[in-house]
Amino acid sequence: MDWQAIWLSVRLAASTTAILLVLGLPIAYWLAFSPRRWKFLVEALVALPLVLPPTVLGFYLLLAMGPRSPLGALYAKLTGGMLPFSFQGLLLASVLYSFPFTVQPVAAAFAGVDRKLLEASWCLGVSRAATFRRVIVPLSLPGIATGAILSFAHTLGEFGVVLMVGGNIAGVTRTVSISIYDSVQALNYAAASATSLFLLCVSFTVLALTYALQRRIWAVWPIN
Amino acid sequence: MADQLICQCRKRLSKGFEVEADLRIPLRQAPVTVLFGPSGSGKTTLLRMLAGLERPDAGSIVFRERPWFDGARKIHLPPRQRRAGFLFQDYALFPHLTVAENVAYAASRETARKLLDTFGLAELAASKPRAISGGQQQRVALARALAAQPALLLLDEPLSALDASTRSRTRYELRRMLLAGGVPSIVVTHDRMEAVALGDWMAVMVDGRIRQTGPVQEVFRRPADPQVAESVGVENVLAAEIAGRESGLLVLQVNGQVGGARIQCVDSGETGPVFACIRAEDVTITRQMDQVSSARNRLAGRVRAVIPEGAVARVELDCGFPLVALVTAQSAAELALREGENVSAVVKATSVHLAAHTWIGGAA
């Protein structure tokens, strides 16, 4: 089993999930509560990675990250490095690729919070930001957990975007799925089978966990 | 004059329905104001505009000389700057917090603890809202709102989530709590018994407009127009003409199919066509046709229907015009009223209230 690749994938997935939670919660809040008419455009943009072939997303990202693009140039100026074929570039790609997996369940959870509870909080003299923290987030914990778990799992298993943006550098961009592909190409079926089984088990556990959370088999807070 | 809530604003809702409220509440004389009207008359929308949860299209809301909303000057204070506590119909307690945490949500632990004691909630402090009864939830919601030290308390149908038996007990209790809280309150209700039991002041809303405001008794006794009369529950609204004046009383000719009838009432200076409003409770029924009493109005009629309604019975009479009487079930039984029988309906002259009949062309 390619432990190096597994460790890399886990690091990538954890970082992606953390960044997505920071970025995704405000966007989910906006999507759930904004009265703007053009909200659907943002919704479509956020959902785009769901339907776009990973190679297409990867291709555009590669162009956007290249040293001759504004983003690539800026990054080179700030860090001296390059985004393509680096862990940072992979992280950026993963964040974009997994965006809907965080935002959609979280936005659905936010929208499901009884609006009267928010109004009650406002009328008690509590600001919108504090209401978000004290009422919306605690009542949306199952949705937030679902979003985090799905993003983690989705990043763990991604292949196309990684191949386009990251390539196959051991310890830098060779993730689990790339490692499996590599093993098969090298006719090393034993290694491929071990890593695949590992990924299968992880994916199943994660999905089982997600559905359990959604159905509230156990409550997030204890029932009196 | 400073201690007033003045609201003159309008808002167009979907379906072309417009709420146009012109309301002035003297907060000192009216610790509890009842906003009364039938369902769908716009009461809740008005309450939400006062709280800052809905933005009126135009107009102004001024509370104790502070503008809460001014369409022309583009002032619209958000709810948290108005400090108007809002009690939702289903109380909207935070389900993830305990009773104590709910009450302390916008207050210090100390204030919350005192209120828990005052409202008899100390024993439930650690319970979650879903584990306590409706009446208890209402007390928690009220304690939570008072803990935030509001300048005004707005209650949207506070008793409607309770079952019937709890409701009548809670009416008295709620008024006591509102007065003890010392915060001027506006209570929305469509139940006239609730209005009488809770309010000092009353504003009647019909079809999105405030039709009458004043002390509760006054509004019930003297509805300003037939629609107010109908919504405050005056069953008999009779089209009539003033036929003359007799020994200080006004003589009315009630329009009916067969000549109608004459009734007398207190002269309130009305002229021309009027509506005579008589509450069904004020109509008594007797079988003695010729008894002399202080009652001026003795109308011969025929029983058209007797409809039992729990402890009371609703008796529909034909006195040349339709007249509804509300008698206790017991007296209905004693009188053994049956359809088609001739009886006398007695109405005191002081129980007939006139509403000037200004907006319908002919007689009703």
Side-chain angles (χ1 to χ4, degrees):
Chain A
M1 210 183 321
D2 189 348
W3 285 109
Q4 194 186 38
I6 289 173
W7 172 234
L8 181 82
S9 280
V10 169
R11 261 198 310 148
L12 182 66
S15 317
T16 304
T17 305
I19 292 173
L20 277 174
L21 282 180
V22 174
L23 294 179
L25 259 58
I27 290 178
Y29 179 82
W30 186 84
L31 283 178
F33 297 111
S34 170
R36 304 257 175 256
R37 284 218 190 95
W38 44 272
K39 195 164 80 172
F40 68 96
L41 289 176
V42 179
E43 282 173 317
L45 201 64
V46 168
L48 209 51
L50 288 176
V51 291
L52 212 58
T55 42
V56 173
L57 186 69
F59 173 71
Y60 281 119
L61 275 171
L62 204 55
L63 288 187
M65 288 174 180
R68 266 173 291 179
S69 82
L71 177 68
L74 183 70
Y75 187 79
K77 209 170 151 190
L78 290 176
T79 65
M82 288 221 298
L83 277 174
F85 313 112
S86 71
F87 183 77
Q88 286 75 15
L90 209 53
L91 188 57
L92 177 63
S94 300
V95 165
L96 288 176
Y97 188 47
S98 292
F99 219 81
F101 289 84
T102 303
V103 170
Q104 286 189 338
V106 173
F110 286 175
V113 174
D114 187 351
R115 197 178 160 81
K116 281 192 300 267
L117 296 178
L118 314 186
E119 293 179 339
S121 174
W122 300 335
C123 286
L124 287 165
V126 174
S127 70
R128 278 173 187 262
T131 301
F132 175 69
R133 188 167 49 77
R134 296 175 64 187
V135 178
I136 299 177
V137 170
L139 289 175
S140 305
L141 282 180
I144 294 171
T146 303
I149 290 168
L150 283 179
S151 302
F152 187 89
H154 188 237
T155 308
L156 211 55
E158 77 180 47
F159 180 74
V161 174
V162 174
L163 201 62
M164 295 291 284
V165 174
N168 184 8
I169 306 166
V172 180
T173 61
R174 184 191 289 165
T175 59
V176 186
S177 49
I178 305 270
S179 159
I180 293 167
Y181 182 73
D182 247 16
S183 302
V184 172
Q185 293 292 302
L187 299 179
N188 184 355
Y189 278 52
S193 137
T195 317
S196 295
L197 186 65
F198 174 79
L199 213 55
L200 178 70
C201 292
V202 170
S203 301
F204 177 78
T205 311
V206 157
L207 284 179
L209 211 63
T210 310
Y211 286 118
L213 273 177
Q214 275 175 343
R215 286 177 202 177
R216 295 187 188 225
I217 286 174
W218 68 83
V220 173
W221 48 85
I223 302 167
N224 275 357
Chain B
M1 273 326 199
D3 211 9
Q4 277 192 337
L5 169 68
I6 304 165
C7 169
Q8 288 166 307
C9 56
R10 66 188 158 78
K11 183 176 178 70
R12 181 172 286 279
L13 303 176
S14 54
K15 294 175 282 173
F17 181 70
E18 195 175 60
V19 173
E20 192 171 351
D22 189 346
L23 182 63
R24 185 179 292 256
I25 298 172
L27 298 168
R28 195 159 307 151
Q29 290 107 288
V32 183
T33 300
V34 170
L35 182 55
F36 181 89
S39 310
S41 58
K43 307 183 296 290
T44 297
T45 303
L46 174 56
L47 206 66
R48 290 175 61 83
M49 290 198 288
L50 290 175
L53 296 171
E54 305 264 357
R55 191 189 176 119
D57 296 335
S60 68
I61 300 172
V62 179
F63 180 77
R64 291 190 169 137
E65 293 185 325
R66 186 176 178 212
W68 276 0
F69 173 79
D70 193 320
R73 288 195 284 157
K74 302 237 181 295
I75 296 173
H76 178 60
L77 292 194
R80 70 191 165 89
Q81 285 177 23
R82 302 189 184 197
R83 294 187 38 243
F86 200 103
L87 236 77
F88 291 86
Q89 243 177 76
D90 57 1
Y91 313 130
L93 297 176
F94 302 122
H96 59 301
L97 302 178
T98 63
V99 165
E101 286 164 342
N102 263 285
V103 176
Y105 183 77
S108 69
R109 292 258 154 210
E110 187 52 30
T111 316
R113 205 187 47 73
K114 265 189 225 152
L115 276 160
L116 284 175
D117 286 340
T118 316
F119 283 74
L121 294 166
E123 280 171 24
L124 302 171
S127 312
K128 287 284 165 64
R130 83 185 81 172
I132 63 177
S133 74
Q136 290 164 338
Q137 287 185 24
Q138 187 201 44
R139 273 186 282 156
V140 176
L142 196 57
R144 182 179 69 176
L146 287 173
Q149 299 181 316
L152 176 70
L153 208 51
L154 305 166
L155 300 94
D156 189 7
E157 304 258 7
L159 301 170
S160 65
L162 305 176
D163 55 73
S165 63
T166 322
R167 206 180 301 157
S168 55
R169 253 189 300 120
T170 314
R171 278 203 296 252
Y172 171 78
E173 188 69 0
L174 180 61
R175 173 159 172 88
R176 201 183 56 77
M177 290 190 288
L178 290 177
L179 292 180
V183 181
S185 315
I186 300 178
V187 185
V188 159
T189 181
H190 64 262
D191 180 320
R192 64 181 145 133
M193 291 315 290
E194 244 172 76
V196 174
L198 289 171
D200 303 293
W201 199 263
M202 185 165 168
V204 182
M205 200 164 190
V206 180
D207 292 337
R209 269 153 220 265
I210 301 283
R211 302 295 274 267
Q212 186 175 8
T213 52
V216 171
Q217 299 304 322
E218 188 63 27
V219 172
F220 269 90
R221 227 176 286 135
R222 301 181 171 283
D225 63 50
Q227 277 182 296
V228 171
E230 199 192 312
S231 68
V232 299
V234 174
E235 283 82 351
N236 298 297
V237 181
L238 312 167
E241 300 275 351
I242 290 169
R245 287 178 162 80
E246 203 176 279
S247 56
L249 292 176
L250 212 54
V251 180
L252 299 177
Q253 172 67 41
V254 178
N255 307 327
Q257 296 132 324
V258 274
R262 288 186 168 230
I263 54 176
Q264 292 180 317
C265 67
V266 177
D267 191 346
S268 52
E270 312 285 352
T271 50
V274 293
F275 277 111
C277 302
I278 305 167
R279 286 192 289 163
E281 296 96 307
D282 290 338
V283 180
T284 47
I285 295 174
T286 170
R287 283 184 174 281
Q288 292 139 318
M289 313 295 267
D290 51 356
Q291 191 199 35
V292 179
S293 77
S294 69
R296 290 280 171 173
N297 303 308
R298 178 173 293 276
L299 304 160
R302 178 166 297 179
V303 178
R304 273 179 28 203
V306 181
I307 304 149
E309 290 178 351
V312 294
R314 191 181 155 90
V315 184
E316 294 186 357
L317 301 171
D318 182 3
C319 303
F321 53 89
L323 188 70
V324 178
L326 212 56
V327 298
T328 61
Q330 199 186 351
S331 56
E334 281 167 11
L335 286 164
L337 295 172
R338 271 185 209 88
E339 262 183 63
E341 284 187 306
N342 289 318
V343 291
S344 281
V346 179
V347 183
K348 285 212 253 170
T350 48
S351 300
V352 181
H353 307 295
L354 299 185
H357 163 42
T358 50
W359 54 282
I360 293 175

